[in-house]
Amino acid sequence: MVYLTGRKPDRALSALRSTRIADLSGELRQQRLLLEARAQSDIGRHDLALDIITNIVGRETVRLRSDIYWAARRWRESSEQIELYYADRWRDFKPLNPVEKGDVIRAVVGYSLADDAIGLARFREKYAPLMSGDADRAAFETASKPVAANSAEFALIAKMAASVDTLEGFLREMKTRFPDATAEGAGVAGNGEERSGLDRRLAADYRIDAGRRG
């Protein structure tokens, strides 16, 4: 949705409300609920956002739930959802890609912020062997040490993790889950603008808006 990717969640919600359609298929209804939950979270209604996706399953829902918890500063729950999202990925000895590394580091930061020594130890055991690259390995080591929560290094890594744009990951998951989605099921751009799916135009609008924000 253009308004959502353009950092206008309130207008995204208005567009969704104005285009409610009765008897939507299960998939289209699910797509709209995910978009609505993301928008509600972006305006600070985290509990409502979680309620909206209570009965929705799928990887895209798990990631969104983690993002909502993170925005609500519910660190442990957010990290647990990332752990659920990656499931048995740690059993694959292939090094993590950049997206996976970012998620894993964010998860250990969350466990540290929650002072969850058990979660930290579990995640460290699973993913430390898969962290490639000196900088990423050092970041993971620093963030995953239980005693590091008050260190300057940890504060820097926590700031970096918090600055990760979760919206980009959400859109990526939505594109994977709903590759043929159109705005007819998800909402409209508004003002008579041509309807479109969650793909190139949405990402482009987001990048343009982010660039303006500098």
Side-chain angles (χ1 to χ4, degrees):
M1 174 174 281
V2 172
Y3 289 144
L4 186 59
T5 57
R7 305 292 185 177
K8 299 172 183 176
D10 52 341
R11 298 182 69 179
L13 288 169
S14 295
L16 284 166
R17 293 188 188 108
S18 66
T19 57
R20 291 195 187 283
I21 303 172
D23 301 322
L24 281 176
S25 69
E27 187 167 281
L28 287 176
R29 181 175 180 276
Q30 178 175 328
Q31 185 188 11
R32 288 178 64 96
L33 289 173
L34 290 167
L35 289 168
E36 181 180 354
R38 175 73 204 206
Q40 294 286 5
S41 177
D42 285 351
I43 62 175
R45 298 172 180 166
H46 307 303
D47 289 339
L48 176 57
L50 291 169
D51 287 343
I52 290 171
I53 59 174
T54 296
N55 297 318
I56 303 178
V57 298
R59 283 174 59 83
E60 67 281 353
T61 308
V62 175
R63 174 174 282 281
L64 176 57
R65 190 173 289 114
S66 176
D67 294 344
I68 295 170
Y69 281 136
W70 189 267
R73 304 175 73 84
R74 294 170 62 176
W75 313 121
R76 179 183 292 104
E77 292 96 327
S78 178
S79 297
E80 287 172 345
Q81 291 299 306
I82 291 177
E83 195 167 0
L84 177 62
Y85 179 84
Y86 282 107
D88 290 334
R89 171 64 177 88
W90 61 277
R91 295 182 185 277
D92 182 353
F93 292 103
K94 181 174 64 176
L96 301 172
N97 64 40
V99 172
E100 292 171 330
K101 287 178 183 177
D103 286 342
V104 166
I105 291 175
R106 192 179 91 174
V108 296
V109 168
Y111 280 132
S112 291
L113 290 172
D115 197 22
D116 186 340
I118 295 176
L120 265 180
R122 182 177 64 247
F123 219 66
R124 183 183 178 90
E125 181 179 359
K126 286 180 177 179
Y127 287 102
L130 304 184
M131 296 298 294
S132 61
D134 292 341
D136 292 325
R137 189 179 299 112
F140 181 87
E141 288 292 325
T142 300
S144 62
K145 292 178 181 177
V147 297
N150 296 321
S151 70
E153 294 85 354
F154 178 84
L156 176 60
I157 292 169
K159 182 178 180 180
M160 292 172 59
S163 70
V164 170
D165 195 331
T166 60
L167 182 58
E168 187 171 332
F170 171 71
L171 290 176
R172 183 174 56 249
E173 289 293 334
M174 292 291 281
K175 287 169 60 179
T176 300
R177 176 64 181 84
F178 307 102
D180 299 321
T182 65
E184 184 174 359
V188 296
N191 298 323
E193 188 172 334
E194 182 182 358
R195 296 182 179 185
S196 61
L198 289 169
D199 52 14
R200 291 185 298 274
R201 288 188 60 192
L202 305 188
D205 283 350
Y206 163 71
R207 293 190 181 94
I208 290 172
D209 186 79
R212 288 171 179 167
R213 288 172 173 263

